[in-house]
Amino acid sequence: MLKFDFYNPTRIVFGKDRLKELNNLIAADAKVLVLYGGGSVKKYGTLDKVRQALGERKIVEFGGIEPNPRYSTLMRAVEVVRREAVDFLLAVGGGSVMDGTKFITLAAAYDGNAEDLLRCGFKPVPVTSARPIGTVVTLPATGSEMNSGGVISHQGGKYPVFSPLAFPRFSILDPTLTYSLPPTQVANGVIDTFIHTVEQYVTVPAEGRFQDRTAEGILRTLIEIGRTTIDHPTDFDARANLMWCATNALNGLIGAGVPQDWTTHMIGHELTAMFGIDHAKTLAILQPAVWTVRKEQKRAKLLQYAERVWDLSTGEETGRIDRAIANTRAFFEGLGVPTRLGDYGVSADKLDDLVAALEQHGMTRLGETGEVTLEVSRAILKEAL
Ligand code: NZQ
Ligand code: ZN
C-alpha cells in the first residue's frame, strides 16, 4: 500500500425528509446564498422546501448554473457574494451546481484574477480562507457532495479546481429528491460512479485489499441496482444504494494508498468541451477502449476485476479479460447509453482536434504510470470510434 493522508470533514445527512434539518446545520444569523441550476429544483418543489427550512434567515438566490458550469456564469455569482456580504453558500442540485458553488466561494475569497484558480490542476488553489458551503444533492453521480474538487468549463476547456476549503460542511442526501430525474441522468449517475471506482481500482496491484474489496462492493452494487433504479425511480432502496455508492466512490476512501488512473476522465473532458457530450456518456465511450488498448499494462487488475466483479474465473486469461470488457460495455448499453463515438456523431476526422486539445491542456502523460502519451490517447480514441 502506498503512503497517504485521508481527510474528510463533510457531515453526511442521509435519508428521507432530512431537508428540514437545514435549520440545525446553518447558523441562525447567517445570510445564505442559495444556488441552483436551470430550474428543476423549482419545478419539483425542492427549492420551496429549502426556503421553508431556512426559516427567518436572510436569503439571496442565484439560479442558472448550467451543466458543465461556466466560469463566466460563476463570476456573476461571485459578484453577488461580495455585494450581498453573504455568510454561507448552499448548493441545491447536481454536480454542476455543487462544483460551481465550490468555485464561487473560492473565487470570492481570492484577490487576484480568478482565472488563475483554473490553472492549479490537482494542486490546492492559493486561497487561505473562504465562506463555508453546504449541499442538497438532487443527482447522485459526481461525489462532489463529499470531496474537495470541482470541474469548471472555460473557453473550450474543463479545468479541475481543488481546495480543502471546498469540502462541504454538510451534504443532505435524500434519495426521494432524486425521483424526478429523467432516466438518462440516472444512467449517467450509475456510469459516473462506476468509472470513478474503476479509475481507482483497475490500475496495477498495490496490496490495497480494503480499497479493492470496497471498490468491488460498489461495482457489484451498481450492477445489481443500475437497471432497477432507472425502471423504478421511486424504489427507495435502489436509489439510496446508488446515492451512497456515488458518494463513496469519490470521497477519497477507495483511492487512498492505491495507484489511480484518470485517463478516461481527462480524455472525456475534451469530448464534453468539444462536442457537449454529457460527462458520464464520455466515460462510457472511453473506458472499454482504454482497457482494450492497455490490456497488457492492466492485466493483473483486469483479471481480478473479471473474477471478482463478473465471476469470470475459468478459461484462458485474455479471453476472461475480453469478456469482462464486453460485459462492462453491455452493462452501460443496457442502461440506455451508447458506447461508441460514432453513436454521438463523432468521426475519425475529429481525432486530430481532440489530440491537439489534450496537448494544449497538458494531458500528455496520463495513466497510473504516466505512460499514456498523446499517441496512446489517439489509439484509445481510435478504438472508441
Ligand atoms: O439544471 P437543472 O434544471 O437543475 O437540471 C439538471 C441538469 O440539466 C438535471 N437535474 C439535476 N437534478 C435533478 C435534475 N432533473 C430533474 N430532477 C432532479 N432531481 O440534471 C442535469 C444534469 O445536471 P449536472 O449537475 O450537470 O449533472 P452531474 O451531477 O452529472 O454533474 C456533472 C458535472 O460534474 C463534473 C462534471 O465534469 C460535470 O461538469 N464532475 C465533478 C466531479 C467532482 N466534483 O468531483 C467529478 C466528476 O468526475 C465530474 O467531472
Ligand atoms: Zn466523473
Side-chain angles (χ1 to χ4, degrees):
M1 202 181 304
L2 310 173
K3 65 181 174 187
F4 65 87
D5 279 25
F6 179 75
Y7 169 69
N8 197 312
T10 301
R11 174 189 297 273
I12 296 295
V13 180
F14 190 99
K16 260 178 213 165
D17 298 328
R18 305 290 308 267
L19 247 189
K20 43 184 175 293
E21 295 172 43
L22 268 177
N23 194 32
N24 311 328
L25 294 164
I26 302 178
D29 58 354
K31 185 170 183 183
V32 181
L33 176 62
V34 178
L35 302 109
Y36 57 93
S40 70
V41 296
K42 276 191 172 159
K43 188 166 166 194
Y44 298 110
T46 305
L47 194 60
D48 279 341
K49 288 186 200 157
V50 166
R51 288 189 190 119
Q52 212 177 352
L54 288 173
E56 300 300 306
R57 289 177 186 79
K58 287 189 190 132
I59 304 177
V60 187
E61 293 181 10
F62 185 90
I65 299 179
E66 57 281 280
N68 308 303
R70 283 196 220 124
Y71 175 82
S72 54
T73 306
L74 305 176
M75 289 311 290
R76 286 196 282 112
V78 168
E79 281 170 35
V80 176
V81 170
R82 289 176 176 158
R83 187 177 66 232
E84 299 285 340
V86 302
D87 305 303
F88 194 94
L89 284 71
L90 182 64
V92 187
S96 295
V97 176
M98 293 188 274
D99 284 8
T101 300
K102 291 175 177 181
F103 182 78
I104 292 161
T105 195
L106 294 170
Y110 185 64
D111 281 339
N113 178 351
E115 280 183 287
D116 300 345
L117 306 181
L118 303 178
R119 302 203 184 92
C120 302
F122 293 97
K123 290 203 280 289
V125 299
V127 174
T128 48
S129 72
R131 292 165 182 84
I133 70 168
T135 84
V136 176
V137 183
T138 66
L139 200 178
T142 61
S144 187
E145 63 274 12
M146 200 179 180
N147 69 38
S148 61
V151 185
I152 306 305
S153 295
H154 188 44
Q155 295 175 342
K158 289 193 73 169
Y159 298 92
V161 175
F162 281 87
S163 167
L165 300 167
F167 277 111
R169 289 286 167 92
F170 64 81
S171 283
I172 297 183
L173 274 58
D174 177 347
T176 69
L177 298 179
T178 76
Y179 287 175
S180 57
L181 281 166
T184 190
Q185 292 297 344
V186 181
N188 283 353
V190 174
I191 291 171
D192 200 16
T193 304
F194 198 97
I195 306 295
H196 292 158
T197 307
V198 298
E199 293 218 278
Q200 300 166 94
Y201 163 63
V202 183
T203 56
V204 289
E207 280 293 324
R209 289 172 183 246
F210 165 79
Q211 297 89 324
D212 279 8
R213 297 282 184 193
T214 309
E216 288 151 4
I218 293 174
L219 297 172
R220 292 194 75 116
T221 303
L222 293 171
I223 293 163
E224 278 168 18
I225 55 92
R227 193 62 240 179
T228 310
T229 193
I230 294 173
D231 292 340
H232 306 284
T234 59
D235 176 333
F236 178 84
D237 288 319
R239 191 56 60 87
N241 277 287
L242 169 59
M243 211 164 193
W244 194 220
C245 281
T247 302
N248 282 285
L250 203 55
N251 63 2
L253 188 69
I254 63 168
V258 297
Q260 304 188 9
D261 170 10
W262 293 100
T263 301
T264 301
H265 267 73
M266 294 306 117
I267 305 179
H269 285 169
E270 303 302 348
L271 288 173
T272 299
M274 210 172 282
F275 305 109
I277 304 170
D278 286 354
H279 170 66
K281 297 192 169 75
T282 69
L283 310 176
I285 297 166
L286 291 164
Q287 192 63 63
V290 168
W291 286 344
T292 302
V293 169
R294 301 198 60 234
K295 207 181 288 181
E296 285 316 312
Q297 293 84 348
K298 289 180 179 286
R299 190 173 187 84
K301 291 306 282 282
L302 277 169
L303 279 169
Q304 182 180 326
Y305 169 70
E307 178 174 349
R308 295 197 195 163
V309 177
W310 294 105
D311 300 321
L312 298 168
S313 52
T314 56
E316 186 262 327
E317 285 188 359
T318 305
R320 267 184 253 165
I321 292 175
D322 289 343
R323 276 186 287 153
I325 297 174
N327 284 2
T328 309
R329 186 188 294 284
F331 175 57
F332 298 158
E333 298 261 354
L335 302 175
V337 175
T339 58
R340 293 283 177 189
L341 281 171
D343 299 322
Y344 300 84
V346 180
S347 49
D349 58 327
K350 299 294 191 309
L351 297 198
D352 285 344
D353 292 347
L354 285 161
V355 173
L358 283 167
E359 184 169 24
Q360 192 198 335
H361 297 134
M363 300 295 152
T364 54
R365 298 196 65 78
L366 300 171
E368 60 276 4
T369 51
E371 65 195 38
V372 179
T373 59
L374 292 176
E375 279 322 299
V376 180
S377 289
R378 181 187 293 277
I380 290 165
L381 286 161
K382 206 164 160 208
E383 174 65 32
L385 284 168

